[in-house]
Amino acid sequence: MPAPASIDIFCRVVDNYGDIGVCWRLARQLAARLATSTIRLWVDDLASFARIARGISTDAPLQTVGRIRVVKWDDVTSRDPGLLQPAAMVIEAFACSPPEAYVARMSDRQLWLNLEYLSAEDWVESCHGLPSIQPNGLRKFFFFPGFTPRTGGLLREGDLLARRDRWQADPHARPDLLSRLGVEAAWLDRLQAGARLVYVFCYPQAPLEALLRTLASTRQETLVLMAQGVGPNTPPLPAGGRLALHRHEFVDQDTFDQLLWSADLNLVRGEDSLLRAIWAARPMIWQPYRQEDALHLQKLDAWLARSPYSPEIRRVMQAWNGGSDAEFESALAPLLAPAAFAQWQHSARAGCDTLAREDDLVTRLLAFHAKQHQTR
Ligand code: TRH
């Protein structure tokens, strides 16, 4: 299959970390797969990028991290017009539109793709791969990630699940990481003795207090981990109790994955951490990014409809995304009982294994490129 000799990925950070999170994973996976291709990532917000990636300078107009050339979108083009030479494959993330001067240099020799947001909704299959004719006559193709064979697939590194399994089998991996993140020794001992670890990455609307109350009401001791800034209004928990909350500084994406592999229950948000929680194969609750007209609830329902989860597990996710505190508590409490939780663990593992049998997004992207190459 002919691989593209060069790839440009364009990323504008609209909000939060999902835009750059997806683009950085994509860039790294392409670099790992295509040893001889030149890969550039154009980003307009290096400060957000630096929070989730190691070695990113927040003021360098141009820098190389691993094999990836990172271009600070706004600064660089006026200083070095040579950068505007388009790559063979041009990926704009989430319809962010490359600079005009760049587009002006493009021709039908480039494969131009708009990488869209992940959704499990049915319409994605009929839109994936469609071209849209641009004002300059060029074709831009929609590339939709998705959960079925007729979509663009899901981002997953080739060795991800093997790395996860090694991590989960290593008795030192979790305590070493938690200790590096400042978790106190007494809690490391409790976790070793069977306390529960819950990782929470949620939006401010989530019923976080109801979650903490429910966790505190069970017999099992629980440590909740959250990044700084997440759930900013969380009330302090009584010291020395059965439930504790530990906050960590933002970590890079690989460490973030390890946190999800380490937890017994993951509460995640947006699209990138949804996927990473799926690949962690541990019980999880998803909170999609809030959209107007409650479109995010349609996204949730579409994903739940494709998930292996029981009606009880679906109910807890729906309550996390708009139910009352009481609805959430009454949905979650029975699922934390040992037999129900074991069933949840089983479903999470089965769901992950099913999806992992599909080709991943980068494989489908390169196949799409090869097909377009043949028909040109
Ligand atoms: O940050 P998000 O809420 O991003 C959102 C959504 O993607 C949403 O769809 C989009 O429209 C909106 O942004 C603009 O959630 P998401 O998608 O899970 O991205 C978070 C990224 O941050 C993910 O790559 C994991 C990473 N991360 C770290 O690497 N380290 C950390 O410590 C934390 C907390 C997150």
Side-chain angles (χ1 to χ4, degrees), residues 223-246:
L223 179 66
V224 175
L225 270 182
M226 283 202 287
Q228 298 289 358
V230 174
N233 304 320
T234 314
L237 297 174
R242 306 169 56 73
L243 176 70
L245 169 61
H246 181 81

Side-chain angles (χ1 to χ4, degrees), residues 23 122 197 356:
C23 291
D122 288 340
L197 183 65

Side-chain angles (χ1 to χ4, degrees), residues 3-24:
S6 54
I7 301 175
D8 275 333
I9 303 171
F10 288 90
C11 175
R12 273 199 193 283
V13 175
V14 176
D15 196 5
N16 301 328
Y17 303 94
D19 306 295
I20 186 59
V22 167
C23 291
W24 184 229

Side-chain angles (χ1 to χ4, degrees), residues 14-19 21 25 51-52 117 199 201 203 227 248-253 256 269-274 289:
V14 176
D15 196 5
N16 301 328
Y17 303 94
D19 306 295
R25 290 204 198 271
R51 291 195 83 188
I52 62 162
Y117 286 109
Y199 190 79
F201 183 44
Y203 296 117
H248 67 85
E249 294 299 333
F250 260 63
V251 293
D252 63 84
Q253 281 185 327
F256 180 77
R269 73 182 204 192
E271 282 116 35
D272 190 60
S273 55
L274 162 67
Y289 183 74

Side-chain angles (χ1 to χ4, degrees), residues 60-124:
L62 266 178
Q63 54 194 309
T64 303
V65 182
R67 283 193 40 243
I68 300 157
R69 195 93 171 118
V70 175
V71 183
K72 183 159 190 284
W73 185 331
D74 295 328
D75 284 14
V76 110
T77 47
S78 52
R79 287 192 228 154
D80 182 359
L83 285 169
L84 293 169
Q85 182 55 43
M89 187 191 252
V90 179
I91 303 173
E92 61 171 88
F94 318 123
C96 69
S97 300
E100 273 174 32
Y102 182 98
V103 173
R105 287 169 167 78
M106 287 173 70
S107 70
D108 59 8
R109 284 195 306 277
Q110 271 80 41
L111 174 60
W112 186 1
L113 300 162
N114 174 24
L115 175 68
E116 277 290 349
Y117 286 109
L118 171 64
S119 173
E121 290 161 291
D122 288 340
W123 58 263
V124 166

